[in-house]
Amino acid sequence: MEDFRRTYLRLCKEGGVEPQESVLAQLQETRGAAAGSRLDLRGHSLSVDTCAVLGRVFHKDTLFTELALSDCMLTEEGAKLLLNGLCANTTVKVLDLKGNNLRSTGAEALGKLLVRNKTLCRLVLEWNALGMWDEAFSVFCEGLASNACLTQLDLRNNQINHQGASELCLALKRNSTLQQLDVRWNNIGLLGGRSFLEALQQNRTLTHLEMAGNNIPSDTLKALEQAMDHNSDRQSTMRESRSRTQVLSKEIQILKEEKGRQFLNLMETIDKQRDEMGRSTRSATTSIHVGQLQEALNERKSVVNSLTAKLQMTEAALAMSEQKNHNLGEQLTRVKTEKDEQRERQSRERKKEQEDSVLREGKLLREINSMSETNIQLKNKLEKMESRCKSQQDQIFELKQDLTNSTAELKLRLAQAEERLEIEKKRSKQSLEDMDNLRQKEVDHVNRHLEESERALQDRILKLEGQRIQLEEELSRAKAACVTERAQAEEELGKVRAQVRLEEQQRVSGLEEKLRGLRQSRDESQSHCSQQKQTIAELQARSGQQSMETDGLRRRIEELQQELSGKDQEKVAEVSRVRVELQEQIGHLQAERTAQGGLKEKIAALEREMKVLASNHREAILDKESEISSLFEKLRLREAEIQRMREDEAQRASFLQNAILAYVQGSPLHYSPKK
């Protein structure tokens, strides 16, 4: 800490910059608190010169691992100088730049920092304005794409729009280390959410994504959550596979060490036996030669006795050598039996492993086939639902056209009625008789118009009932399909049963909600029809009265206009509600498609893991077989050597026996002195 302070003062002196008192005080506090790995300058206003000096200090600093510069009112130039100094730093792992209003220059400097720095793990950029300039933010995203050490990134409240989100998603497609990303409270919107969804189909390392406050639909957020779950599951499976491979490698190493120890013990026992046999043979031969020399020097009288003694000694030595050979043979037989037992045990283990691998491969193949069949069925369902959505969209378009036509006709009729009312007012001044006749005609016309509107509404009610019946049929078909799919899923996949059941329940609940909505709309339409009938009856009762004035007719026409506008609003609300339901269905289908993609990726990962395990298993088996063959070869060589030693011993014994016999037969048995 004192070295950092001295370096800061020296560089300030060299650059002709006055050291900032707040920085010196903070360094003194940090030294007193003994927090040698964190430099906290939060809330201290740093000038451009101070940033330049700090950048030069951090260029070669190896003390601090965490740097907090939040709310320091950094200028664009100061932030650039400070970040350029941090590019070559090798110890800072956490950098906090919250609330510094970084813009285009800061974004470009951050991009260079991410490209050149190799130790930064966590970067906090909350409450800045990096997303205001698209070009600068694209430079930042390029740096993020090429970075290979950052794991946590905080981009909250940075005014990122959907274009910036697309650039960030392109960076995520290329990045393979980022695990946590926070982009809350920006302006990403629907297009940005879809870009993130596409990026997560290629990114396999991002496991935590926060996107609240971005005007993203709920179905897109759910799909993103599912993608996050898939990534976390994938990371857990990768960790499990690594642990399994480590355990298998350790077991293989232990087996190799045990085999090596057994082989070394066998070699030591064989060497000991060879040394014992060599010592016994050398001692026997030396004793024989010494005895022969002593017999030749001694008197001729004790030749027969010494030869007999030597013969007994050689016979005893031969018996001992034969006993040792017999013991060696027994040891060899025991070694052979142990080797045979080990070979049989290894063959049984190998057969069991092969059978287990065959069973696992069969299970995986069956699961893959079942998953492929379910994928095909889901694809077919998706196509059917898309066709249904298209047909419903066409129906909605036709209903819209009918509504526009009906509203236009009603407006024309209302205009005509107003003109007629004005004509009636003018004519009422002329004569009461003309007014009565015109009033009677208008009442008849209104009656006919009401009858026509009633017929049109009845036709529309019939159409809505037909649509409801079609939807109920579709619901029944969907329920039947769900039941069959549920049965197949219960037979084929035990692990996926709960998920499929939940998805089917969600679909059924969605269809039942739709049916309830249609029934409510039908009840509302029937209530409206009854209300219209009541109004028609009231109008007919009122038309019988000839003493009504023109003001009453105008009020009735206004009431009719209000009712028609209410009906139009209700129809528009129904159309919008149906459109929202269709959009939700489309979102659910997209989520299912992403889930299918995740399942395909899991299947591919399992296949790759199977291939890796099979290759490792084959390599281990080949290594074991090569070790066994080498041990058999060495054992054969040892047996051949022992057999050769036995033959040499037998040949030497026969030679010795023949020599002794020849010597005994050739030497005189009786001593006759010369005369």
Side-chain angles (χ1 to χ4, degrees):
M1 182 63 69
E2 187 63 28
D3 294 336
F4 185 88
R5 186 172 178 276
R6 284 197 296 269
T7 306
Y8 173 70
L9 292 172
R10 180 175 57 80
L11 292 175
C12 287
K13 187 176 180 181
E14 290 177 359
V17 179
E18 186 69 24
Q20 196 165 339
E21 294 296 332
S22 59
V23 176
L24 292 174
Q26 188 63 34
L27 289 174
Q28 189 69 27
E29 289 179 2
T30 305
R31 183 178 64 179
S37 62
R38 175 183 171 87
L39 179 59
D40 192 355
L41 296 175
R42 293 178 295 178
H44 296 284
S45 180
L46 302 179
S47 62
V48 177
D49 296 332
T50 303
C51 290
V53 174
L54 287 175
R56 293 174 63 188
V57 175
F58 283 120
H59 185 76
K60 296 181 180 179
D61 177 60
T62 59
L63 178 63
F64 294 109
T65 60
E66 185 174 355
L67 183 58
L69 298 172
S70 60
D71 300 323
C72 289
M73 299 178 67
L74 298 177
T75 61
E76 292 285 306
E77 188 65 26
K80 181 179 179 181
L81 293 171
L82 185 60
L83 293 173
N84 288 334
L86 286 170
C87 287
N89 188 279
T90 59
T91 56
V92 175
K93 295 182 179 180
V94 180
L95 179 60
D96 188 358
L97 293 172
K98 175 183 175 182
N100 284 294
N101 198 21
L102 298 179
R103 296 173 183 262
S104 59
T105 307
E108 293 175 356
L110 285 168
K112 293 178 183 178
L113 174 67
L114 292 175
V115 171
R116 296 171 60 184
N117 190 282
K118 305 299 180 185
T119 57
L120 191 64
C121 297
R122 183 169 181 265
L123 182 59
V124 179
L125 299 172
E126 184 183 359
W127 286 106
N128 286 288
L130 300 177
M132 290 184 67
W133 284 268
D134 295 334
E135 295 179 356
F137 192 70
S138 64
V139 173
F140 171 77
C141 292
E142 286 292 330
L144 179 62
S146 61
N147 186 272
C149 59
L150 191 68
T151 58
Q152 298 180 13
L153 179 60
D154 191 350
L155 291 174
R156 288 178 287 177
N157 293 292
N158 269 276
Q159 301 182 17
I160 301 171
N161 54 13
H162 64 91
Q163 294 179 356
S166 63
E167 293 289 337
L168 190 60
C169 292
L170 291 175
L172 289 176
K173 290 179 181 179
R174 294 165 55 190
N175 187 282
S176 60
T177 57
L178 191 65
Q179 297 178 359
Q180 296 182 9
L181 177 61
D182 194 347
V183 291
R184 288 179 288 180
W185 309 110
N186 287 288
N187 298 320
I188 292 174
L190 177 61
L191 297 176
R194 291 178 180 175
S195 300
F196 271 100
L197 196 59
E198 292 177 0
L200 289 175
Q201 292 178 0
Q202 296 183 11
N203 188 287
R204 298 290 182 268
T205 57
L206 192 65
T207 58
H208 188 75
L209 179 63
E210 295 289 341
M211 297 190 68
N214 281 290
N215 296 322
I216 299 174
S218 60
D219 54 352
T220 307
L221 290 175
K222 289 180 181 178
L224 290 169
E225 289 177 359
Q226 289 178 358
M228 290 296 100
D229 294 336
H230 289 314
N231 283 342
S232 61
D233 293 338
R234 190 178 295 106
Q235 292 293 327
S236 63
T237 53
M238 289 292 289
R239 287 193 292 272
E240 289 177 359
S241 64
R242 290 195 192 97
S243 63
R244 288 177 183 174
T245 52
Q246 289 177 0
V247 170
L248 289 173
S249 62
K250 288 180 181 178
E251 290 179 356
I252 291 167
Q253 189 67 28
I254 291 166
L255 289 174
K256 286 182 179 179
E257 291 176 357
E258 288 179 357
K259 294 293 181 183
R261 286 196 295 272
Q262 291 177 2
F263 179 71
L264 290 173
N265 293 327
L266 180 62
M267 293 296 291
E268 288 177 358
T269 54
I270 291 169
D271 291 334
K272 288 179 181 178
Q273 290 173 2
R274 186 188 295 172
D275 294 335
E276 290 177 359
M277 290 176 67
R279 284 196 299 272
S280 64
T281 53
R282 282 196 298 273
S283 64
T285 53
T286 53
S287 63
I288 290 166
H289 287 298
V290 171
Q292 288 177 0
L293 290 172
Q294 287 178 357
E295 285 176 1
L297 292 172
N298 290 331
E299 294 178 357
R300 300 286 293 236
K301 291 180 180 181
S302 59
V303 172
V304 176
N305 295 325
S306 63
L307 286 173
T308 55
K310 288 179 181 178
L311 184 59
Q312 290 176 358
M313 289 173 66
T314 53
E315 286 178 354
L318 286 171
M320 290 175 67
S321 63
E322 287 178 357
Q323 185 66 30
K324 288 181 179 179
N325 289 326
H326 182 68
N327 293 329
L328 289 172
E330 290 179 354
Q331 289 180 358
L332 286 172
T333 53
R334 284 197 298 273
V335 170
K336 285 182 180 179
T337 53
E338 289 177 357
K339 291 293 181 184
D340 293 333
E341 290 176 356
Q342 289 181 357
R343 191 185 305 162
E344 290 177 357
R345 190 163 54 251
Q346 289 177 356
S347 64
R348 286 196 296 271
E349 290 177 355
R350 190 164 57 250
K351 286 180 181 178
K352 287 181 180 179
E353 290 177 355
Q354 289 177 357
E355 290 175 356
D356 293 335
S357 63
V358 169
L359 291 172
R360 289 174 184 172
E361 289 177 357
K363 287 181 180 178
L364 289 171
L365 289 172
R366 287 195 295 273
E367 289 178 356
I368 290 164
N369 293 324
S370 63
M371 293 298 290
S372 61
E373 291 177 357
T374 52
N375 286 327
I376 292 167
Q377 292 176 359
L378 290 171
K379 284 180 181 178
N380 295 326
K381 288 181 182 179
L382 183 62
E383 291 176 355
K384 290 180 181 178
M385 293 300 290
E386 286 179 353
S387 62
R388 289 175 184 173
C389 290
K390 288 180 181 178
S391 63
Q392 289 179 358
Q393 287 177 358
D394 295 333
Q395 291 177 1
I396 289 166
F397 182 72
E398 291 176 357
L399 288 171
K400 284 182 180 178
Q401 289 181 351
D402 294 335
L403 285 171
T404 52
N405 294 325
S406 62
T407 52
E409 289 178 358
L410 289 170
K411 286 179 180 179
L412 290 173
R413 289 175 181 175
L414 288 171
Q416 291 176 2
E418 287 178 356
E419 290 176 357
R420 288 174 182 174
L421 285 171
E422 289 177 357
I423 293 167
E424 287 175 356
K425 285 181 180 180
K426 292 178 182 179
R427 290 181 180 177
S428 62
K429 293 179 181 179
Q430 294 177 2
S431 62
L432 291 173
E433 294 178 357
D434 294 333
M435 282 293 293
D436 293 333
N437 294 325
L438 288 171
R439 186 167 49 194
Q440 188 68 32
K441 288 179 181 179
E442 285 179 359
V443 169
D444 295 334
H445 182 71
V446 168
N447 289 327
R448 285 195 301 272
H449 175 65
L450 289 172
E451 290 176 357
E452 290 175 358
S453 63
E454 185 179 358
R455 285 195 296 272
L457 288 171
Q458 288 178 356
D459 294 333
R460 287 177 186 172
I461 289 165
L462 292 173
K463 287 181 181 179
L464 289 172
E465 288 180 352
Q467 291 179 359
R468 181 181 62 76
I469 292 166
Q470 290 178 359
L471 288 172
E472 288 178 351
E473 291 177 354
E474 289 177 0
L475 178 61
S476 63
R477 288 196 296 269
K479 285 182 179 179
C482 289
V483 171
T484 55
E485 288 177 358
R486 190 180 301 165
Q488 291 177 0
E490 287 177 352
E491 292 176 357
E492 294 173 353
L493 295 173
K495 294 181 180 180
V496 190
R497 188 177 298 165
Q499 295 180 358
V500 172
R501 190 175 296 166
L502 289 172
E503 291 175 357
E504 294 296 332
Q505 288 177 358
Q506 289 177 0
R507 291 178 186 172
V508 170
S509 63
L511 292 172
E512 287 177 353
E513 289 178 358
K514 190 189 292 182
L515 182 60
R516 286 196 295 271
L518 290 172
R519 286 176 178 173
Q520 289 177 1
S521 62
R522 186 190 64 184
D523 296 331
E524 289 176 359
S525 61
Q526 288 178 357
S527 64
H528 286 307
C529 289
S530 63
Q531 289 177 2
Q532 288 178 358
K533 288 179 180 179
Q534 290 176 2
T535 53
I536 289 165
E538 290 176 0
L539 289 171
Q540 287 178 356
R542 289 176 184 176
S543 64
Q545 297 175 1
Q546 296 181 357
S547 64
M548 293 176 65
E549 296 178 353
T550 56
D551 296 331
L553 289 171
R554 184 176 296 172
R555 285 195 298 272
R556 289 173 189 172
I557 291 168
E558 289 177 355
E559 289 176 357
L560 290 172
Q561 288 178 356
Q562 290 177 359
E563 289 178 358
L564 290 172
S565 64
K567 291 177 183 178
D568 293 334
Q569 290 177 359
E570 290 175 356
K571 290 178 181 177
V572 170
E574 289 178 359
V575 170
S576 63
R577 184 173 56 76
V578 173
R579 187 181 297 168
V580 169
E581 289 178 355
L582 290 172
Q583 288 179 356
E584 289 178 354
Q585 289 180 359
I586 291 166
H588 289 304
L589 291 173
Q590 289 178 355
E592 289 180 358
R593 187 179 293 173
T594 54
Q596 289 176 4
L599 290 173
K600 289 180 181 177
E601 291 173 357
K602 283 186 179 179
I603 291 165
L606 289 171
E607 289 178 352
R608 289 194 294 272
E609 187 177 358
M610 281 176 58
K611 290 179 181 177
V612 171
L613 291 173
S615 63
N616 293 330
H617 183 66
R618 291 193 191 94
E619 290 176 358
I621 290 170
L622 291 173
D623 293 335
K624 289 180 181 178
E625 288 179 352
S626 62
E627 289 177 359
I628 291 166
S629 61
S630 63
L631 288 171
F632 283 147
E633 185 66 24
K634 289 179 181 178
L635 184 62
R636 187 180 61 78
L637 292 173
R638 295 295 180 190
E639 288 176 354
E641 189 174 357
I642 291 166
Q643 186 67 28
R644 183 176 57 77
M645 291 172 68
R646 284 180 181 178
E647 291 175 357
D648 291 338
E649 290 292 331
Q651 191 175 4
R652 286 177 186 174
S654 64
F655 285 162
L656 181 61
Q657 190 175 3
N658 292 327
I660 292 168
L661 290 173
Y663 182 77
V664 170
Q665 290 175 2
S667 64
L669 297 174
H670 301 282
Y671 179 74
S672 60
K674 290 181 181 181
K675 293 180 180 179

